[in-house]
């Protein structure tokens, strides 16, 4: 197709231009549908006694992931009762005396805990530290305490004696000896902090991260499919990687509370770390794990703890108040899916029966 | 002084060849290539291409807990660790992209990357 | 594209013409830089219009001046966008210049303008990819098929533009 002798330019250029435009359009479409795989960045680090695993999409992914990891570290510095000088450590040290100045974020997290504590009738209680420290699940000194000890410490646990002033960013515990333990919301709150960091960092198209058992998402997955989050099979024993099923979510946060984590066996009995603040012993609600899906990480974490203690019937009612979805696994192998999780959760493990309650 | 033509047969062949090669390259079904990424505190210690392994091999990571990993064709696992909880060892073999095993005391994590689709984005629980 | 066929004009003229091509290259890359960046394109996929100056130079002035031109282009990129841009521009520019020089040897010219443009773009991308792999690690090689794909249209565009500018350049080069 050599060009004509005289003035070959206009026609040939026009045809080539048209072909070129079509070609470019096809290529751009191809790239935007399939090219994203190359632009994701994954990393893992340890914070809050859990591993933080991030998958970040977009040009600024690496920097944003580092910023999110720092945000999680900063959160731990503020809310861990074990860290000297943290908001919670100072609040606990001031128990029974003065109001303690805390960071704004800490105050609103405490307020959220109080709200869930109230609405769950104390099934979730942020002031559980005296008991949780006594049992010391996952610690060097984990053991079954003497009943009298539990009885004594039980009296120091009451969320109504924790007061929070979000306007002044301060909080107080009414009696000496009380203590706040935000371990039950920390990982969910860490997901919130990381997602806020992605927003702030810019250059992030989308991201998903897990902190321990909590998962947070940021925007839509670039290929347009929903985020798929595997829910761990609580009965999978040593192979903890087996999945019970998959939750397909367009947005939001998920947390799971399960009796298989941080458990120990003494005298032939297995004790798990989800304490019932009413009895002082591991909750016995017939459940082995609860997964909660809602709009905030800290809330999903608090609700999953509350629901594990409350059991299916009361817990499902609580989730309905919040418009949250739930996946409940009981000791008999029944899986109940409630709220917005209906239709989003697919059971993949064998040996379970599925019930859906929209 | 001869001016080159605009579009000759050779040009057309080249363009089609380049486009075809790129298409084949992109669409070629990838073997379920799984890469194990070993990280300590976010710093990558090792990267093992599991699909290219013919025999099992043991990685000694050392450290205070003397963590050892075993990698083989299509899997990797914590072989032993002196950590108190042994969660990492009990996690068992990782075989699918997206799976993770962690030794928290040693701050070492192993995760499988790659493999086309099928994997989930995160795990709760 | 042949000055080598027709080595007329003195050294000063050649130098002046070379400088003019350099200015053209810089102007084209500045023009490209002024276009809004397309987020829908893979990183590194650029039009590469300034390539046409080195392409023409490789044919008309020979390998030496063309490589000098590539170096000038890279220095300009380095001054405006930093050391990484310098390395990328130089590796891409040098490789595409070399490819052009080979393809424009006097007696064997397999390709027309479009083929030349595509070869130049592909060589340019290949050079840049090597630098990227060297700087950012083997993961960058995952872009290879995409760069191959996008090299075709950008090469065609460069070829078209060169075809459009060719008479003008020839006139400038041969007539006083």
């Amino acid at each position: 197709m050599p060009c004509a002798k005289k003035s070959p330019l206009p026609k040939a250029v026009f045809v080539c231009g048209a072909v070129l435009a079509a070609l470019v359009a096809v290529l751009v479409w191809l790239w935007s549908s399939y090219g994203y795989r190359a632009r994701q960045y994954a990393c893992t680090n340890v914070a809050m006694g859990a591993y933080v695993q991030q998958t970040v999409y977009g040009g600024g992914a690496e920097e944003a992931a580092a910023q999110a990891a720092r945000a999680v570290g900063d959160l731990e510095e503020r809310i861990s009762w074990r860290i000297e000088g943290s908001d919670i450590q100072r609040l606990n040290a001031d128990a029974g005396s003065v109001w303690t100045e805390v960071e704004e974020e800490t105050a609103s997290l405490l307020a959220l805990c109080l709200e869930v504590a109230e609405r769950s009738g104390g099934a979730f209680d942020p002031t559980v530290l005296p008991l949780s420290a006594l049992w010391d699940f996952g610690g060097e000194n984990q053991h079954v305490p003497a009943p009298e000890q539990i009885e004594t410490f039980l009296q120091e646990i009451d969320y109504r004696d924790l007061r929070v002033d979000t306007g002044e960013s301060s909080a107080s515990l009414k009696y000496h000896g009380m203590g706040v333990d935000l371990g039950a919301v920390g990982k969910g709150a860490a997901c919130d902090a990381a997602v806020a960091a992605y927003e702030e960092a810019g250059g992030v198209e989308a991201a998903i991260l897990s902190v321990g058992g909590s998962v947070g998402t940021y925007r839509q997955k670039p290929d347009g499919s929903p985020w798929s989050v595997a829910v761990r099979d609580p009965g999978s024993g040593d192979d903890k990687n087996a999945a019970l099923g998959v939750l397909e979510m367009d947005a939001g946060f998920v947390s799971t509370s399960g009796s298989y984590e941080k458990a120990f066996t003494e005298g032939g009995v297995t004790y798990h770390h989800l304490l019932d603040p009413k009895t002082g012993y591991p909750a016995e609600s017939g459940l082995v794990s609860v997964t909660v899906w809602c709009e905030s990480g800290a809330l999903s974490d608090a609700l999953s703890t509350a629901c594990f203690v409350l059991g299916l019937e009361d817990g499902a009612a609580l989730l309905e108040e919040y418009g949250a979805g739930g996946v409940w696994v009981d000791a008999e192998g029944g899986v109940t899916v409630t709220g917005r999780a209906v239709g989003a959760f697919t059971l993949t493990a064998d040996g379970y029966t599925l019930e859906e309650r929209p | 002084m001869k001016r080159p033509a605009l579009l000759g047969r050779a040009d057309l062949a080249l363009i089609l060849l380049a486009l075809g090669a790129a298409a084949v390259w992109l669409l070629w079904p990838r073997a379920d290539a799984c890469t194990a990424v070993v990280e300590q505190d976010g710093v990558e210690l090792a990267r093992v291409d599991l699909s290219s392994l013919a025999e099992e091999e043991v990685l000694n990571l050392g450290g205070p807990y003397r963590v050892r990993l075993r990698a083989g064709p299509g899997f990797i696992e914590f072989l032993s660790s002196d950590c108190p909880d042994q969660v990492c060892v009990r996690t068992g073999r990782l075989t699918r992209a997206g799976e993770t095993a962690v030794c928290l005391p040693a701050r070492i994590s192993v995760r499988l990357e790659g493999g086309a689709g099928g994997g989930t984005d995160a795990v709760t629980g | 594209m042949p000055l080598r066929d027709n080595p007329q004009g003195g050294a000063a003229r050649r130098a002046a013409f070379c400088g003019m091509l350099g200015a053209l290259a810089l102007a084209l890359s500045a023009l490209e830089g002024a276009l809004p960046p397309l987020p829908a394109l893979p990183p590194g996929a650029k039009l590469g219009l300034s390539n046409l100056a080195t392409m023409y130079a490789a044919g008309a002035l020979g390998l030496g001046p063309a490589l000098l031109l590539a170096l000038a282009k890279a220095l300009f990129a380095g001054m405006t966008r930093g050391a990484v841009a310098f390395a990328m521009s130089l590796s891409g520019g040098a490789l595409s210049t070399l490819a052009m020089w080979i393809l424009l040897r006097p007696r064997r010219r397999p390709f027309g303008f479009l083929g030349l443009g595509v070869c130049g773009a592909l060589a340019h991308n290949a050079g840049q990819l090597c630098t990227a792999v060297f700087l950012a690690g083997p993961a960058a090689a995952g872009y290879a098929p995409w760069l191959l794909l996008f090299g075709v249209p950008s090469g065609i565009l460069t070829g078209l533009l060169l075809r459009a500018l060719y008479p003008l350049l020839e006139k400038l080069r041969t007539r006083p």
Side-chain angles (χ1 to χ4, degrees), chain B residues 1-2, chain C residues 1-11 13-15 17-18 21 55-63 65 104 106 109 166 169-170 172-175:
Chain B
M1 211 159 43
K2 232 180 79 195
Chain C
M1 248 188 254
L3 217 158
R4 252 182 295 159
D5 317 355
N6 184 12
Q8 60 178 206
R13 247 190 83 121
R14 277 174 68 101
F17 186 65
C18 195
L21 282 179
M55 279 168 67
Y56 182 81
L61 303 178
L63 187 59
L104 287 170
R109 290 189 180 166
Y166 185 81
L169 289 170
E170 280 294 280
L172 280 173
R173 187 172 61 80
T174 49
R175 272 176 232 146

mmCIF file of all heavy atoms in Angstrom, chain B residues 1-2, chain C residues 1-11 13-15 17-18 21 55-63 65 104 106 109 166 169-170 172-175:
data_model
loop_
_atom_site.group_PDB
_atom_site.id
_atom_site.type_symbol
_atom_site.label_atom_id
_atom_site.label_comp_id
_atom_site.label_asym_id
_atom_site.label_seq_id
_atom_site.Cartn_x
_atom_site.Cartn_y
_atom_site.Cartn_z
ATOM 1 N N MET B 1 17.058 10.814 -3.860
ATOM 2 C CA MET B 1 16.685 10.753 -2.435
ATOM 3 C C MET B 1 15.298 10.153 -2.297
ATOM 4 O O MET B 1 14.320 10.777 -2.681
ATOM 5 C CB MET B 1 16.688 12.161 -1.880
ATOM 6 C CG MET B 1 17.059 12.161 -0.471
ATOM 7 S SD MET B 1 17.648 13.772 0.021
ATOM 8 C CE MET B 1 16.526 14.877 -0.728
ATOM 9 N N LYS B 2 15.246 8.946 -1.816
ATOM 10 C CA LYS B 2 13.941 8.270 -1.792
ATOM 11 C C LYS B 2 13.281 8.425 -0.436
ATOM 12 O O LYS B 2 13.876 8.171 0.609
ATOM 13 C CB LYS B 2 14.120 6.785 -2.103
ATOM 14 C CG LYS B 2 13.187 6.346 -3.231
ATOM 15 C CD LYS B 2 13.371 4.864 -3.523
ATOM 16 C CE LYS B 2 12.638 4.018 -2.513
ATOM 17 N NZ LYS B 2 13.062 2.642 -2.528
ATOM 18 N N MET C 1 15.227 8.798 4.106
ATOM 19 C CA MET C 1 15.556 9.843 5.053
ATOM 20 C C MET C 1 17.019 10.091 5.078
ATOM 21 O O MET C 1 17.680 9.810 6.043
ATOM 22 C CB MET C 1 15.224 9.299 6.425
ATOM 23 C CG MET C 1 14.098 9.987 7.015
ATOM 24 S SD MET C 1 13.983 9.432 8.594
ATOM 25 C CE MET C 1 12.605 8.436 8.438
ATOM 26 N N PRO C 2 17.515 10.555 4.051
ATOM 27 C CA PRO C 2 18.871 10.206 3.752
ATOM 28 C C PRO C 2 19.819 11.370 3.667
ATOM 29 O O PRO C 2 19.998 11.849 2.594
ATOM 30 C CB PRO C 2 18.740 9.591 2.372
ATOM 31 C CG PRO C 2 17.449 10.165 1.827
ATOM 32 C CD PRO C 2 16.796 10.915 2.861
ATOM 33 N N LEU C 3 20.478 11.728 4.665
ATOM 34 C CA LEU C 3 21.587 12.602 4.339
ATOM 35 C C LEU C 3 22.801 11.782 3.985
ATOM 36 O O LEU C 3 23.709 12.252 3.325
ATOM 37 C CB LEU C 3 21.902 13.581 5.467
ATOM 38 C CG LEU C 3 22.299 14.930 4.869
ATOM 39 C CD1 LEU C 3 22.096 16.032 5.846
ATOM 40 C CD2 LEU C 3 23.712 14.934 4.372
ATOM 41 N N ARG C 4 22.761 10.529 4.500
ATOM 42 C CA ARG C 4 23.953 9.741 4.236
ATOM 43 C C ARG C 4 24.117 9.470 2.736
ATOM 44 O O ARG C 4 25.220 9.282 2.277
ATOM 45 C CB ARG C 4 23.916 8.451 5.018
ATOM 46 C CG ARG C 4 24.909 8.485 6.161
ATOM 47 C CD ARG C 4 24.895 7.201 6.894
ATOM 48 N NE ARG C 4 23.587 7.011 7.534
ATOM 49 C CZ ARG C 4 23.134 5.837 7.903
ATOM 50 N NH1 ARG C 4 23.835 4.757 7.669
ATOM 51 N NH2 ARG C 4 21.982 5.719 8.501
ATOM 52 N N ASP C 5 22.990 9.449 2.014
ATOM 53 C CA ASP C 5 23.095 9.261 0.569
ATOM 54 C C ASP C 5 23.722 10.494 -0.058
ATOM 55 O O ASP C 5 24.256 10.466 -1.135
ATOM 56 C CB ASP C 5 21.738 9.101 -0.105
ATOM 57 C CG ASP C 5 20.827 8.205 0.670
ATOM 58 O OD1 ASP C 5 21.304 7.643 1.695
ATOM 59 O OD2 ASP C 5 19.677 8.068 0.289
ATOM 60 N N ASN C 6 23.620 11.562 0.606
ATOM 61 C CA ASN C 6 23.758 12.840 -0.057
ATOM 62 C C ASN C 6 24.454 13.835 0.865
ATOM 63 O O ASN C 6 23.834 14.746 1.392
ATOM 64 C CB ASN C 6 22.336 13.301 -0.392
ATOM 65 C CG ASN C 6 22.350 14.589 -1.172
ATOM 66 O OD1 ASN C 6 23.403 15.007 -1.647
ATOM 67 N ND2 ASN C 6 21.214 15.228 -1.270
ATOM 68 N N PRO C 7 25.687 13.581 1.099
ATOM 69 C CA PRO C 7 26.346 14.351 2.158
ATOM 70 C C PRO C 7 26.732 15.753 1.722
ATOM 71 O O PRO C 7 27.905 16.058 1.571
ATOM 72 C CB PRO C 7 27.574 13.513 2.487
ATOM 73 C CG PRO C 7 27.835 12.722 1.244
ATOM 74 C CD PRO C 7 26.625 12.723 0.396
ATOM 75 N N GLN C 8 25.768 16.548 1.471
ATOM 76 C CA GLN C 8 26.092 17.911 1.089
ATOM 77 C C GLN C 8 26.022 18.839 2.294
ATOM 78 O O GLN C 8 25.485 18.483 3.335
ATOM 79 C CB GLN C 8 25.129 18.414 0.028
ATOM 80 C CG GLN C 8 23.698 18.399 0.503
ATOM 81 C CD GLN C 8 22.736 18.950 -0.534
ATOM 82 O OE1 GLN C 8 21.710 19.421 -0.187
ATOM 83 N NE2 GLN C 8 23.066 18.927 -1.780
ATOM 84 N N GLY C 9 26.503 20.015 2.171
ATOM 85 C CA GLY C 9 26.447 20.966 3.264
ATOM 86 C C GLY C 9 27.642 20.833 4.165
ATOM 87 O O GLY C 9 28.196 19.756 4.339
ATOM 88 N N GLY C 10 28.083 21.927 4.759
ATOM 89 C CA GLY C 10 29.263 21.926 5.594
ATOM 90 C C GLY C 10 28.959 21.535 7.014
ATOM 91 O O GLY C 10 27.809 21.287 7.373
ATOM 92 N N ALA C 11 30.023 21.455 7.796
ATOM 93 C CA ALA C 11 29.896 21.051 9.186
ATOM 94 C C ALA C 11 28.996 22.013 9.966
ATOM 95 O O ALA C 11 28.181 21.594 10.782
ATOM 96 C CB ALA C 11 31.272 20.972 9.837
ATOM 97 N N ARG C 13 26.568 23.833 8.908
ATOM 98 C CA ARG C 13 25.179 23.623 8.540
ATOM 99 C C ARG C 13 24.601 22.418 9.257
ATOM 100 O O ARG C 13 23.487 22.441 9.764
ATOM 101 C CB ARG C 13 25.116 23.378 7.037
ATOM 102 C CG ARG C 13 24.431 24.454 6.268
ATOM 103 C CD ARG C 13 24.241 23.954 4.876
ATOM 104 N NE ARG C 13 23.050 23.128 4.840
ATOM 105 C CZ ARG C 13 22.017 23.420 4.047
ATOM 106 N NH1 ARG C 13 22.053 24.465 3.271
ATOM 107 N NH2 ARG C 13 20.966 22.648 4.041
ATOM 108 N N ARG C 14 25.410 21.382 9.240
ATOM 109 C CA ARG C 14 24.974 20.148 9.916
ATOM 110 C C ARG C 14 24.698 20.407 11.389
ATOM 111 O O ARG C 14 23.696 19.961 11.944
ATOM 112 C CB ARG C 14 26.052 19.073 9.779
ATOM 113 C CG ARG C 14 25.999 18.325 8.466
ATOM 114 C CD ARG C 14 27.189 17.388 8.359
ATOM 115 N NE ARG C 14 27.111 16.300 9.327
ATOM 116 C CZ ARG C 14 26.715 15.087 8.989
ATOM 117 N NH1 ARG C 14 26.362 14.800 7.768
ATOM 118 N NH2 ARG C 14 26.679 14.136 9.900
ATOM 119 N N ALA C 15 25.655 21.139 11.979
ATOM 120 C CA ALA C 15 25.502 21.425 13.408
ATOM 121 C C ALA C 15 24.239 22.241 13.658
ATOM 122 O O ALA C 15 23.461 21.970 14.583
ATOM 123 C CB ALA C 15 26.723 22.167 13.939
ATOM 124 N N PHE C 17 21.591 22.370 11.815
ATOM 125 C CA PHE C 17 20.418 21.552 11.575
ATOM 126 C C PHE C 17 20.158 20.599 12.745
ATOM 127 O O PHE C 17 19.030 20.386 13.189
ATOM 128 C CB PHE C 17 20.610 20.765 10.276
ATOM 129 C CG PHE C 17 19.391 20.008 9.882
ATOM 130 C CD1 PHE C 17 18.229 20.692 9.527
ATOM 131 C CD2 PHE C 17 19.389 18.630 9.884
ATOM 132 C CE1 PHE C 17 17.108 20.001 9.162
ATOM 133 C CE2 PHE C 17 18.251 17.942 9.529
ATOM 134 C CZ PHE C 17 17.096 18.620 9.169
ATOM 135 N N CYS C 18 21.252 20.053 13.246
ATOM 136 C CA CYS C 18 21.174 19.158 14.408
ATOM 137 C C CYS C 18 20.551 19.896 15.594
ATOM 138 O O CYS C 18 19.683 19.373 16.287
ATOM 139 C CB CYS C 18 22.588 18.672 14.749
ATOM 140 S SG CYS C 18 22.603 17.269 15.837
ATOM 141 N N LEU C 21 16.893 20.215 15.135
ATOM 142 C CA LEU C 21 16.186 18.978 15.462
ATOM 143 C C LEU C 21 16.049 18.822 16.976
ATOM 144 O O LEU C 21 15.013 18.376 17.491
ATOM 145 C CB LEU C 21 16.926 17.765 14.895
ATOM 146 C CG LEU C 21 16.747 17.504 13.401
ATOM 147 C CD1 LEU C 21 17.551 16.285 12.995
ATOM 148 C CD2 LEU C 21 15.279 17.298 13.069
ATOM 149 N N MET C 55 14.534 9.919 15.280
ATOM 150 C CA MET C 55 14.355 9.029 14.138
ATOM 151 C C MET C 55 14.874 9.676 12.864
ATOM 152 O O MET C 55 15.638 9.079 12.107
ATOM 153 C CB MET C 55 12.861 8.698 13.953
ATOM 154 C CG MET C 55 12.347 7.612 14.865
ATOM 155 S SD MET C 55 10.553 7.552 14.805
ATOM 156 C CE MET C 55 10.307 7.009 13.133
ATOM 157 N N TYR C 56 14.436 10.892 12.668
ATOM 158 C CA TYR C 56 14.861 11.585 11.453
ATOM 159 C C TYR C 56 16.368 11.779 11.461
ATOM 160 O O TYR C 56 17.043 11.567 10.453
ATOM 161 C CB TYR C 56 14.144 12.935 11.340
ATOM 162 C CG TYR C 56 14.500 13.674 10.080
ATOM 163 C CD1 TYR C 56 13.887 13.355 8.878
ATOM 164 C CD2 TYR C 56 15.480 14.662 10.089
ATOM 165 C CE1 TYR C 56 14.237 14.004 7.709
ATOM 166 C CE2 TYR C 56 15.830 15.320 8.928
ATOM 167 C CZ TYR C 56 15.204 14.990 7.729
ATOM 168 O OH TYR C 56 15.542 15.629 6.589
ATOM 169 N N ALA C 57 16.887 12.140 12.614
ATOM 170 C CA ALA C 57 18.324 12.385 12.722
ATOM 171 C C ALA C 57 19.118 11.120 12.418
ATOM 172 O O ALA C 57 20.150 11.173 11.740
ATOM 173 C CB ALA C 57 18.659 12.906 14.111
ATOM 174 N N ALA C 58 18.636 9.974 12.902
ATOM 175 C CA ALA C 58 19.359 8.728 12.662
ATOM 176 C C ALA C 58 19.460 8.453 11.170
ATOM 177 O O ALA C 58 20.463 7.933 10.681
ATOM 178 C CB ALA C 58 18.655 7.569 13.381
ATOM 179 N N GLY C 59 18.392 8.793 10.442
ATOM 180 C CA GLY C 59 18.408 8.559 9.011
ATOM 181 C C GLY C 59 19.192 9.620 8.261
ATOM 182 O O GLY C 59 19.965 9.321 7.358
ATOM 183 N N ALA C 60 19.000 10.858 8.686
ATOM 184 C CA ALA C 60 19.523 11.954 7.882
ATOM 185 C C ALA C 60 20.924 12.383 8.280
ATOM 186 O O ALA C 60 21.700 12.830 7.453
ATOM 187 C CB ALA C 60 18.570 13.144 7.969
ATOM 188 N N LEU C 61 21.253 12.263 9.548
ATOM 189 C CA LEU C 61 22.543 12.782 10.004
ATOM 190 C C LEU C 61 23.514 11.699 10.440
ATOM 191 O O LEU C 61 24.690 11.973 10.670
ATOM 192 C CB LEU C 61 22.335 13.756 11.168
ATOM 193 C CG LEU C 61 21.415 14.951 10.897
ATOM 194 C CD1 LEU C 61 21.282 15.782 12.145
ATOM 195 C CD2 LEU C 61 21.951 15.779 9.760
ATOM 196 N N GLY C 62 23.027 10.468 10.624
ATOM 197 C CA GLY C 62 23.914 9.411 11.061
ATOM 198 C C GLY C 62 23.779 9.128 12.548
ATOM 199 O O GLY C 62 23.097 9.853 13.295
ATOM 200 N N LEU C 63 24.451 8.061 12.965
ATOM 201 C CA LEU C 63 24.273 7.563 14.332
ATOM 202 C C LEU C 63 24.767 8.542 15.383
ATOM 203 O O LEU C 63 24.106 8.788 16.390
ATOM 204 C CB LEU C 63 25.008 6.227 14.476
ATOM 205 C CG LEU C 63 24.792 5.492 15.791
ATOM 206 C CD1 LEU C 63 23.317 5.194 15.990
ATOM 207 C CD2 LEU C 63 25.599 4.208 15.824
ATOM 208 N N PRO C 65 25.287 11.988 15.590
ATOM 209 C CA PRO C 65 24.434 13.127 15.910
ATOM 210 C C PRO C 65 23.111 12.695 16.530
ATOM 211 O O PRO C 65 22.605 13.353 17.447
ATOM 212 C CB PRO C 65 24.199 13.786 14.549
ATOM 213 C CG PRO C 65 25.317 13.336 13.702
ATOM 214 C CD PRO C 65 25.710 11.986 14.176
ATOM 215 N N LEU C 104 17.525 2.217 8.865
ATOM 216 C CA LEU C 104 17.640 3.233 7.822
ATOM 217 C C LEU C 104 18.972 3.178 7.089
ATOM 218 O O LEU C 104 19.387 4.148 6.465
ATOM 219 C CB LEU C 104 17.434 4.623 8.426
ATOM 220 C CG LEU C 104 15.981 4.925 8.795
ATOM 221 C CD1 LEU C 104 15.890 6.201 9.589
ATOM 222 C CD2 LEU C 104 15.127 5.005 7.556
ATOM 223 N N PRO C 106 21.417 2.713 4.192
ATOM 224 C CA PRO C 106 21.066 3.167 2.846
ATOM 225 C C PRO C 106 20.362 2.142 1.961
ATOM 226 O O PRO C 106 19.333 2.439 1.388
ATOM 227 C CB PRO C 106 22.417 3.547 2.251
ATOM 228 C CG PRO C 106 23.224 3.935 3.421
ATOM 229 C CD PRO C 106 22.775 3.103 4.573
ATOM 230 N N ARG C 109 15.959 -0.949 3.451
ATOM 231 C CA ARG C 109 14.963 -0.240 4.253
ATOM 232 C C ARG C 109 13.659 -0.996 4.195
ATOM 233 O O ARG C 109 12.845 -0.761 3.304
ATOM 234 C CB ARG C 109 14.768 1.158 3.720
ATOM 235 C CG ARG C 109 16.001 1.986 4.002
ATOM 236 C CD ARG C 109 15.735 3.390 3.680
ATOM 237 N NE ARG C 109 16.917 4.158 3.963
ATOM 238 C CZ ARG C 109 17.077 5.393 3.532
ATOM 239 N NH1 ARG C 109 16.135 5.955 2.805
ATOM 240 N NH2 ARG C 109 18.151 6.046 3.836
ATOM 241 N N TYR C 166 8.016 15.410 7.266
ATOM 242 C CA TYR C 166 9.173 15.010 6.468
ATOM 243 C C TYR C 166 9.516 15.995 5.365
ATOM 244 O O TYR C 166 10.677 16.418 5.251
ATOM 245 C CB TYR C 166 8.920 13.601 5.906
ATOM 246 C CG TYR C 166 10.078 13.030 5.166
ATOM 247 C CD1 TYR C 166 11.132 12.442 5.861
ATOM 248 C CD2 TYR C 166 10.144 13.083 3.780
ATOM 249 C CE1 TYR C 166 12.202 11.908 5.196
ATOM 250 C CE2 TYR C 166 11.225 12.557 3.103
ATOM 251 C CZ TYR C 166 12.248 11.971 3.812
ATOM 252 O OH TYR C 166 13.319 11.475 3.145
ATOM 253 N N LEU C 169 11.166 19.043 6.815
ATOM 254 C CA LEU C 169 12.516 18.793 7.323
ATOM 255 C C LEU C 169 13.500 18.638 6.173
ATOM 256 O O LEU C 169 14.622 19.170 6.219
ATOM 257 C CB LEU C 169 12.524 17.535 8.201
ATOM 258 C CG LEU C 169 11.819 17.685 9.556
ATOM 259 C CD1 LEU C 169 11.681 16.332 10.237
ATOM 260 C CD2 LEU C 169 12.611 18.627 10.439
ATOM 261 N N GLU C 170 13.092 17.896 5.166
ATOM 262 C CA GLU C 170 13.965 17.699 4.008
ATOM 263 C C GLU C 170 14.311 19.028 3.361
ATOM 264 O O GLU C 170 15.449 19.284 2.983
ATOM 265 C CB GLU C 170 13.267 16.790 2.986
ATOM 266 C CG GLU C 170 13.355 15.319 3.333
ATOM 267 C CD GLU C 170 14.786 14.804 3.265
ATOM 268 O OE1 GLU C 170 15.282 14.522 2.168
ATOM 269 O OE2 GLU C 170 15.427 14.689 4.341
ATOM 270 N N LEU C 172 14.325 21.988 4.732
ATOM 271 C CA LEU C 172 15.225 22.727 5.617
ATOM 272 C C LEU C 172 16.649 22.217 5.513
ATOM 273 O O LEU C 172 17.611 22.971 5.578
ATOM 274 C CB LEU C 172 14.762 22.597 7.076
ATOM 275 C CG LEU C 172 13.618 23.512 7.483
ATOM 276 C CD1 LEU C 172 13.155 23.147 8.872
ATOM 277 C CD2 LEU C 172 14.116 24.957 7.442
ATOM 278 N N ARG C 173 16.742 20.899 5.391
ATOM 279 C CA ARG C 173 18.061 20.298 5.419
ATOM 280 C C ARG C 173 18.827 20.539 4.105
ATOM 281 O O ARG C 173 20.031 20.763 4.111
ATOM 282 C CB ARG C 173 17.935 18.795 5.661
ATOM 283 C CG ARG C 173 19.259 18.086 5.873
ATOM 284 C CD ARG C 173 19.023 16.668 6.290
ATOM 285 N NE ARG C 173 18.284 15.934 5.259
ATOM 286 C CZ ARG C 173 18.866 15.422 4.166
ATOM 287 N NH1 ARG C 173 20.147 15.552 3.968
ATOM 288 N NH2 ARG C 173 18.148 14.767 3.284
ATOM 289 N N THR C 174 18.101 20.415 2.993
ATOM 290 C CA THR C 174 18.804 20.446 1.720
ATOM 291 C C THR C 174 18.930 21.834 1.122
ATOM 292 O O THR C 174 19.894 22.137 0.457
ATOM 293 C CB THR C 174 18.111 19.528 0.690
ATOM 294 O OG1 THR C 174 16.715 19.839 0.715
ATOM 295 C CG2 THR C 174 18.315 18.078 1.035
ATOM 296 N N ARG C 175 17.932 22.693 1.355
ATOM 297 C CA ARG C 175 18.024 24.030 0.750
ATOM 298 C C ARG C 175 18.492 25.055 1.760
ATOM 299 O O ARG C 175 18.182 24.915 2.952
ATOM 300 C CB ARG C 175 16.666 24.429 0.184
ATOM 301 C CG ARG C 175 16.543 23.934 -1.248
ATOM 302 C CD ARG C 175 15.178 24.229 -1.798
ATOM 303 N NE ARG C 175 14.621 23.009 -2.336
ATOM 304 C CZ ARG C 175 13.327 22.715 -2.292
ATOM 305 N NH1 ARG C 175 12.482 23.532 -1.705
ATOM 306 N NH2 ARG C 175 12.900 21.608 -2.818
#
